[in-house]
Amino acid sequence: MLDIAAELHRWCEEGRDFAVATVVSVGGSAPRQPGAALAVDADGTAIGSVSGGCVEGAVYELCQEALQTGETVRETFGYSDEDAFAVGLTCGGVIDVLVTPAPAADRRVRPVLAAAASAAAEGRTTALARIVDGPPELLGGALLVHPDGGWDGTLGGHPELDRTAAAEARALLDAGRTATVVIGAEGSRCGRPVTLLAESSVPPPRMIVFGAVDFASALVRIGKFLNYHVTVCDARPVFATALRFPDADEVVVDWPHRYLDGTEVDARTVLCVLTHDAKFDVPLLERALRLPVAYVGAMGSARTHRDRLRRLREAGVDEPELARLRAPIGLDLGARTPEETALSIAGEIVAHRRGGSGMPLTGSGTPIHHDTREPAERIGSVA
């Protein structure tokens, strides 16, 4: 639901009645992941998507029905063998969708959804936890969980249920992940099983581009397109300017290794080293390869890379650390222009993040959506 937070926040501010449908479980080649949402207001206006078009019409009608009945429902949509144009996912996947009415007069779920939409729209770190499978009286219950572990709202039921759900959601929030987890209706693992969907809203991941070269300008643009917070760092003030990189979130004049020592990175951060100059690369990579970041790539020819590896080994970088380095950076696309090279680098970053092979899908026989590293993943089992 938080993927449409800005629009939902506006609807809440305007006092609109609406229902929101959220993908809570996926199987096979489903086009959207858990957390994807479609909302419909009382006037029939729709925002968002749960399937990229396959079942939007049917889910739209479910939202309208939920506004009329006031009931939360869960529905499964899958591929129809008899008629590929019937209500189903022609891509071959299966999705479970939770439809929750949220009229302005509701005092149980609406305030939590409104607060979650407001926090996500403003870029604050927060998690929205909802019961998406379990006893009917608990279905759709929601909590807004804060980074310190506190929460607003209630799921209903046993007093320990909120506490357990908040703890599970905070753990996922700490990792910046959206996922489902099975807990007990009486808290911990006690009582009937209920499935909790925790959606994390965290700031965009960082992409730090070292080297204010022509290739960097194109990479900045594609990094912004992929929703990274992009920083360009170079020790040369004549090249590291906002005028040359207008799309960057920030441009830093500093020695790359010194900047990396003083900035914050996390498990989602990607580091792209485009300087291919040993005096910059070696001290930078010596540090970068020991940090818990998502990706480290370095530009340069095969000969440059062999020399780089030699220097890094002499600096004390061990083989497991060297194995983390993607160099020469990017996928083999035959790229020549800065834009093509940026596409090559971005392709490798996405493949590494999602668990893709980087090979053509034609004739591969592999699933289109087969990543295991995406933040939206399943924990435990979903009933």
Side-chain angles (χ1 to χ4, degrees):
M1 190 203 85
L2 298 183
D3 64 336
I4 55 173
E7 294 90 343
L8 282 185
H9 175 57
R10 179 170 57 84
W11 282 11
C12 291
E13 290 288 292
E14 294 171 354
R16 298 196 200 186
D17 295 341
F18 63 84
V20 59
T22 306
V23 176
V24 299
S25 176
V26 302
S29 186
R32 303 296 306 275
Q33 293 298 306
L38 168 73
V40 180
D41 73 1
D43 294 329
T45 302
I47 54 174
S49 170
V50 294
S51 70
C54 302
V55 299
E56 306 301 322
V59 175
Y60 179 90
E61 292 179 1
L62 284 175
C63 287
Q64 290 186 312
E65 291 175 9
L67 277 172
Q68 294 174 0
T69 65
E71 296 181 359
T72 297
V73 297
R74 177 171 168 149
E75 190 74 30
T76 298
F77 296 92
Y79 179 75
S80 170
D81 290 321
E82 296 181 357
D83 182 1
F85 295 98
V87 176
L89 292 169
T90 56
C91 59
V94 178
I95 63 172
D96 286 346
V97 176
L98 183 77
V99 182
T100 304
D106 175 67
R107 292 294 175 263
R108 179 187 173 217
V109 174
R110 170 71 175 238
V112 179
L113 299 188
S118 174
E122 295 172 3
R124 289 182 276 131
T125 299
T126 191
L128 174 64
R130 286 183 287 166
I131 293 180
V132 298
D133 200 15
E137 67 273 15
L138 297 180
L139 199 63
L143 292 180
L144 180 66
V145 181
H146 306 293
D148 63 1
W151 69 87
D152 298 319
T154 182
L155 300 176
H158 196 279
E160 286 299 312
L161 179 58
D162 289 349
R163 188 182 305 278
T164 299
E168 296 284 359
R170 184 191 179 189
L172 291 168
L173 181 60
D174 287 344
R177 297 169 52 209
T178 290
T180 54
V181 59
V182 178
I183 60 177
E186 297 177 7
S188 186
R189 303 295 169 183
C190 302
R192 293 173 293 177
V194 298
T195 302
L196 187 78
L197 172 68
E199 298 176 64
S200 295
S201 175
V202 294
R206 296 193 67 188
M207 172 185 284
I208 308 178
V209 181
F210 296 99
V213 298
D214 289 343
F215 293 99
S217 181
L219 184 56
V220 167
R221 293 196 297 275
I222 201 167
K224 291 300 299 177
F225 178 75
L226 293 175
N227 197 36
Y228 283 94
H229 179 96
V230 183
T231 300
V232 176
C233 176
D234 196 298
R236 302 165 298 177
V238 68
F239 295 114
T241 67
L243 185 63
R244 293 189 69 224
F245 300 97
D247 297 302
D249 292 289
E250 56 183 346
V251 179
V252 176
V253 179
D254 201 349
W255 278 78
H257 71 277
R258 187 165 59 190
Y259 174 73
L260 186 60
D261 282 342
T263 195
E264 292 186 7
V265 297
D266 61 25
R268 301 182 300 149
T269 302
V270 301
L271 307 178
C272 301
V273 182
L274 309 187
T275 51
H276 52 83
D277 184 330
K279 68 176 177 290
F280 295 120
D281 290 2
V282 173
L284 171 61
L285 290 171
E286 182 184 354
R287 291 160 171 79
L289 294 173
R290 290 166 176 163
L291 291 174
V293 295
Y295 173 92
V296 182
M299 180 175 281
S301 66
R303 179 177 179 179
T304 297
H305 182 54
R306 287 194 297 270
D307 179 67
R308 179 190 293 134
L309 290 177
R310 177 183 61 81
R311 292 172 182 268
L312 287 170
R313 289 188 179 101
E314 291 174 353
V317 180
D318 62 29
E319 296 305 315
E321 292 167 341
L322 289 175
R324 298 184 58 210
L325 178 59
R326 300 283 176 149
I329 194 171
L331 299 179
D332 180 11
L333 304 183
R336 291 188 177 274
T337 68
E339 290 75 18
E340 291 172 346
T341 301
L343 179 62
S344 167
I345 296 169
E348 183 175 53
I349 290 170
V350 172
H352 184 66
R353 177 183 179 189
R354 305 299 194 192
S357 67
M359 300 295 290
L361 289 171
T362 302
S364 67
T366 59
I368 296 174
H369 308 288
H370 59 90
D371 64 281
T372 58
R373 306 174 213 203
E374 162 66 15
E377 58 183 300
R378 186 175 300 164
I379 299 176
S381 60
V382 178

Coordinates of all heavy atoms in Angstrom, one line a residue, residues 24-64:
V24 N -0.8 -9.5 -1.3 CA -0.3 -10.1 0.0 C 0.5 -11.3 -0.2 O 1.3 -11.8 0.7 CB -1.4 -10.3 1.1 CG1 -2.0 -8.9 1.4 CG2 -2.4 -11.3 0.6
S25 N 0.4 -12.0 -1.4 CA 1.1 -13.2 -1.6 C 1.2 -13.4 -3.1 O 0.3 -13.0 -3.9 CB 0.4 -14.4 -1.0 OG 1.1 -15.6 -1.3
V26 N 2.3 -13.9 -3.6 CA 2.5 -14.1 -5.0 C 3.1 -15.5 -5.3 O 3.7 -16.1 -4.4 CB 3.4 -13.1 -5.7 CG1 2.9 -11.7 -5.5 CG2 4.8 -13.2 -5.1
G27 N 2.8 -16.1 -6.5 CA 3.4 -17.3 -6.9 C 3.6 -17.3 -8.4 O 2.9 -16.7 -9.1
G28 N 4.7 -18.0 -8.8 CA 4.9 -18.0 -10.2 C 5.4 -16.7 -10.8 O 6.0 -15.9 -10.1
S29 N 5.0 -16.4 -12.0 CA 5.5 -15.2 -12.7 C 4.5 -14.1 -12.5 O 4.0 -13.5 -13.5 CB 5.7 -15.5 -14.2 OG 6.2 -14.5 -14.9
A30 N 4.3 -13.7 -11.3 CA 3.4 -12.6 -11.0 C 4.0 -11.3 -11.3 O 5.2 -11.1 -11.0 CB 2.9 -12.7 -9.6
P31 N 3.3 -10.3 -11.9 CA 3.9 -9.1 -12.3 C 4.2 -8.1 -11.1 O 5.1 -7.2 -11.3 CB 2.9 -8.4 -13.2 CG 1.6 -9.0 -12.8 CD 1.9 -10.4 -12.3
R32 N 3.5 -8.2 -10.0 CA 3.8 -7.3 -8.9 C 4.1 -8.1 -7.6 O 3.6 -9.2 -7.5 CB 2.5 -6.4 -8.6 CG 2.0 -5.5 -9.8 CD 3.1 -4.5 -10.2 NE 3.5 -3.6 -9.2 CZ 2.9 -2.5 -8.8 NH1 1.7 -2.1 -9.3 NH2 3.4 -1.7 -7.8
Q33 N 4.8 -7.4 -6.7 CA 5.2 -8.1 -5.5 C 4.3 -7.7 -4.3 O 3.5 -6.7 -4.4 CB 6.7 -7.7 -5.2 CG 7.6 -8.3 -6.2 CD 7.6 -9.8 -6.3 OE1 7.8 -10.5 -5.2 NE2 7.4 -10.4 -7.4
P34 N 4.4 -8.4 -3.2 CA 3.6 -8.1 -2.0 C 3.8 -6.6 -1.6 O 4.9 -6.1 -1.6 CB 4.2 -9.0 -0.9 CG 4.6 -10.2 -1.7 CD 5.1 -9.7 -3.0
G35 N 2.7 -6.0 -1.3 CA 2.7 -4.5 -1.0 C 2.2 -3.7 -2.1 O 1.7 -2.6 -1.8
A36 N 2.2 -4.2 -3.4 CA 1.6 -3.4 -4.5 C 0.1 -3.2 -4.2 O -0.5 -4.1 -3.8 CB 1.9 -4.1 -5.8
A37 N -0.4 -2.0 -4.6 CA -1.8 -1.7 -4.2 C -2.5 -1.0 -5.2 O -1.9 -0.2 -6.1 CB -1.8 -0.9 -2.9
L38 N -3.8 -1.2 -5.2 CA -4.8 -0.4 -6.0 C -5.8 0.1 -5.0 O -6.4 -0.6 -4.2 CB -5.5 -1.3 -7.0 CG -6.7 -0.7 -7.8 CD1 -6.3 0.3 -8.8 CD2 -7.5 -1.9 -8.5
A39 N -6.2 1.4 -5.1 CA -7.2 2.0 -4.3 C -8.3 2.7 -5.1 O -8.0 3.2 -6.2 CB -6.6 3.1 -3.3
V40 N -9.5 2.6 -4.6 CA -10.6 3.1 -5.3 C -11.4 4.0 -4.3 O -11.8 3.5 -3.2 CB -11.5 2.0 -5.9 CG1 -12.7 2.6 -6.6 CG2 -10.7 1.1 -6.9
D41 N -11.8 5.2 -4.7 CA -12.6 6.0 -3.8 C -14.1 5.9 -4.1 O -14.5 5.2 -5.1 CB -12.1 7.5 -3.8 CG -12.5 8.2 -5.1 OD1 -13.2 7.6 -6.0 OD2 -12.2 9.4 -5.2
A42 N -14.9 6.6 -3.3 CA -16.4 6.4 -3.5 C -16.9 6.9 -4.8 O -18.0 6.5 -5.2 CB -17.0 7.1 -2.3
D43 N -16.1 7.8 -5.5 CA -16.5 8.3 -6.8 C -16.1 7.4 -7.9 O -16.4 7.7 -9.1 CB -16.0 9.7 -7.0 CG -16.6 10.7 -6.0 OD1 -17.8 10.5 -5.6 OD2 -15.9 11.7 -5.6
G44 N -15.3 6.4 -7.6 CA -14.8 5.5 -8.6 C -13.5 5.8 -9.2 O -13.0 5.1 -10.1
T45 N -12.8 6.8 -8.6 CA -11.4 7.1 -9.0 C -10.5 6.1 -8.5 O -10.6 5.6 -7.4 CB -11.0 8.5 -8.5 OG1 -11.9 9.5 -9.0 CG2 -9.6 8.9 -9.0
A46 N -9.6 5.6 -9.4 CA -8.6 4.6 -9.0 C -7.2 5.0 -9.1 O -6.8 5.8 -10.0 CB -8.8 3.3 -9.9
I47 N -6.3 4.6 -8.2 CA -4.9 4.8 -8.3 C -4.2 3.5 -8.0 O -4.7 2.6 -7.3 CB -4.5 5.9 -7.2 CG1 -4.9 5.5 -5.8 CG2 -5.0 7.3 -7.6 CD1 -4.4 6.4 -4.7
G48 N -3.0 3.4 -8.6 CA -2.2 2.2 -8.3 C -2.5 1.0 -9.2 O -3.3 1.1 -10.1
S49 N -1.9 -0.1 -8.9 CA -2.0 -1.3 -9.7 C -1.6 -2.5 -8.8 O -0.7 -2.4 -8.0 CB -1.2 -1.2 -10.9 OG -1.1 -2.5 -11.6
V50 N -2.3 -3.6 -9.0 CA -1.9 -4.9 -8.4 C -1.4 -5.9 -9.3 O -0.8 -6.9 -8.9 CB -3.1 -5.5 -7.6 CG1 -3.5 -4.6 -6.4 CG2 -4.3 -5.8 -8.5
S51 N -1.6 -5.7 -10.6 CA -1.2 -6.8 -11.6 C -0.6 -6.3 -12.9 O -0.3 -7.0 -13.8 CB -2.4 -7.7 -11.9 OG -3.3 -7.0 -12.7
G52 N -0.5 -5.0 -13.0 CA 0.0 -4.4 -14.3 C -1.1 -4.5 -15.4 O -0.7 -4.4 -16.5
G53 N -2.3 -4.8 -15.0 CA -3.4 -4.8 -16.0 C -4.2 -6.0 -16.1 O -5.4 -6.0 -16.5
C54 N -3.6 -7.2 -15.6 CA -4.3 -8.5 -15.8 C -5.6 -8.6 -15.1 O -6.6 -9.0 -15.7 CB -3.4 -9.6 -15.3 SG -1.8 -9.7 -16.2
V55 N -5.7 -8.2 -13.9 CA -6.9 -8.4 -13.1 C -7.4 -7.1 -12.5 O -8.2 -7.1 -11.5 CB -6.7 -9.4 -12.0 CG1 -6.4 -10.8 -12.6 CG2 -5.6 -9.0 -11.0
E56 N -7.0 -5.9 -13.0 CA -7.4 -4.7 -12.4 C -8.9 -4.5 -12.4 O -9.4 -3.9 -11.4 CB -6.7 -3.5 -13.2 CG -5.2 -3.6 -13.4 CD -4.5 -3.6 -12.0 OE1 -4.9 -2.9 -11.1 OE2 -3.5 -4.4 -12.0
G57 N -9.6 -4.9 -13.4 CA -11.0 -4.7 -13.5 C -11.7 -5.4 -12.4 O -12.6 -4.9 -11.7
A58 N -11.3 -6.7 -12.1 CA -12.0 -7.5 -11.1 C -11.7 -6.9 -9.7 O -12.6 -6.9 -8.8 CB -11.5 -8.9 -11.2
V59 N -10.4 -6.5 -9.5 CA -10.1 -5.9 -8.2 C -10.8 -4.6 -8.0 O -11.2 -4.3 -6.8 CB -8.5 -5.8 -8.1 CG1 -8.1 -5.1 -6.8 CG2 -7.9 -7.2 -8.2
Y60 N -10.9 -3.8 -9.0 CA -11.6 -2.5 -8.9 C -13.1 -2.8 -8.4 O -13.5 -2.1 -7.5 CB -11.7 -1.9 -10.3 CG -12.4 -0.6 -10.4 CD1 -11.7 0.6 -10.2 CD2 -13.8 -0.5 -10.7 CE1 -12.4 1.8 -10.3 CE2 -14.4 0.7 -10.8 CZ -13.8 1.8 -10.6 OH -14.4 3.0 -10.7
E61 N -13.7 -3.8 -9.0 CA -15.1 -4.1 -8.5 C -15.1 -4.6 -7.1 O -16.0 -4.3 -6.3 CB -15.7 -5.2 -9.4 CG -15.9 -4.7 -10.9 CD -16.5 -5.8 -11.8 OE1 -16.7 -6.9 -11.2 OE2 -16.8 -5.5 -12.9
L62 N -14.1 -5.4 -6.7 CA -14.0 -5.8 -5.3 C -13.9 -4.6 -4.3 O -14.5 -4.6 -3.2 CB -12.8 -6.7 -5.1 CG -13.0 -8.2 -5.6 CD1 -11.7 -8.9 -5.4 CD2 -14.1 -8.9 -4.8
C63 N -13.1 -3.6 -4.7 CA -13.0 -2.4 -3.9 C -14.3 -1.7 -3.8 O -14.7 -1.2 -2.7 CB -11.9 -1.5 -4.5 SG -10.2 -2.0 -4.3
Q64 N -15.0 -1.6 -4.9 CA -16.3 -0.9 -4.8 C -17.3 -1.7 -3.9 O -18.1 -1.1 -3.1 CB -16.9 -0.8 -6.2 CG -16.2 0.2 -7.1 CD -16.8 0.4 -8.4 OE1 -17.2 -0.5 -9.1 NE2 -17.0 1.7 -8.8

